[in-house]
Amino acid sequence: MAKQATSTIHFPRWLGPITWALGIVLVHVALPFWISTFSYHHGWSAGRPGVLNLLGLIVVSSGIAVIAWTAREHFTSAPRGWDVHANLFDPPGYLIVGGPYAYSRNPLYVGELAMWLGWAIFFGSLAVIAATVVFWTVMAFVAIPYEERRLAAESRGAYERYRSEVPRWLGRP
């Protein structure tokens, strides 16, 4: 796929997983925790989560597993290492159709949303639920349409074939 000229920082292959992990911790762990401090923690007693709140950690763990699987696919598919574009919504320049991408065109977003939903359950926080809805809205109506237009333009039909076979969020190939 031909890439448009954009401002890009290239990371060596070994640094990619470290930067992804740091980003995940900051955006999908620390941020929901901070947002939860702005609302009451439903289901908590004496500063501790209730049993139902603890179920949220299963959802968080599932999200982490999907993100790790997706990161592995990117790590093995990136032709020359990891690139971080000035526009974070720019597609990576290669098309992955296996692994979690066989079940969702956006497994990274699915994993991230699972983490946010899990934190909302764990913290029992209406503020985290509201932030999750905002996060999903930005992904569904801004990020994904932009990425899909770019992938369709750059892939010479490969993305359109893939798009016709795999659902946006979840499903069977």
Side-chain angles (χ1 to χ4, degrees):
M1 289 186 278
K3 286 292 292 172
Q4 292 180 353
T6 60
S7 180
T8 302
I9 300 170
H10 177 73
F11 288 99
R13 289 181 71 80
W14 63 269
L15 192 55
I18 295 168
T19 57
W20 266 39
L22 181 59
I24 294 300
V25 168
L26 290 175
V27 176
H28 305 298
V29 177
L31 187 57
F33 170 75
W34 178 70
I35 291 171
S36 79
T37 64
F38 294 101
S39 70
Y40 178 76
H41 288 189
H42 296 275
W44 286 52
S45 177
R48 302 185 77 105
V51 174
L52 293 177
N53 297 93
L54 292 173
L55 294 175
L57 295 179
I58 295 170
V59 181
V60 170
S61 299
S62 299
I64 291 170
V66 170
I67 290 169
W69 188 18
T70 304
R72 181 193 169 282
E73 291 298 317
H74 278 275
F75 184 76
T76 59
S77 298
R80 59 180 206 104
W82 299 62
D83 292 335
V84 175
H85 304 285
N87 180 347
L88 294 177
F89 299 135
D90 277 349
Y94 50 89
L95 182 63
I96 303 172
V97 297
Y101 286 93
Y103 303 96
S104 170
R105 294 193 314 263
N106 300 287
L108 185 59
Y109 292 151
V110 169
E112 291 167 347
L113 282 171
M115 286 186 72
W116 278 79
L117 180 60
W119 289 127
I121 295 167
F122 176 74
F123 292 121
S125 170
L126 295 177
V128 177
I129 290 171
T132 303
V133 170
V134 169
F135 184 53
W136 174 82
T137 302
V138 169
M139 282 190 295
F141 297 105
V142 178
I144 293 171
Y146 175 83
E147 291 173 355
E148 288 185 336
R149 283 192 302 274
R150 290 287 304 268
L151 282 166
E154 295 174 3
S155 71
R156 298 182 183 96
Y159 182 73
E160 288 303 323
R161 283 188 302 279
Y162 169 68
R163 184 178 178 177
S164 70
E165 297 170 0
V166 178
R168 174 179 276 182
W169 295 108
L170 284 173
R172 299 191 69 186

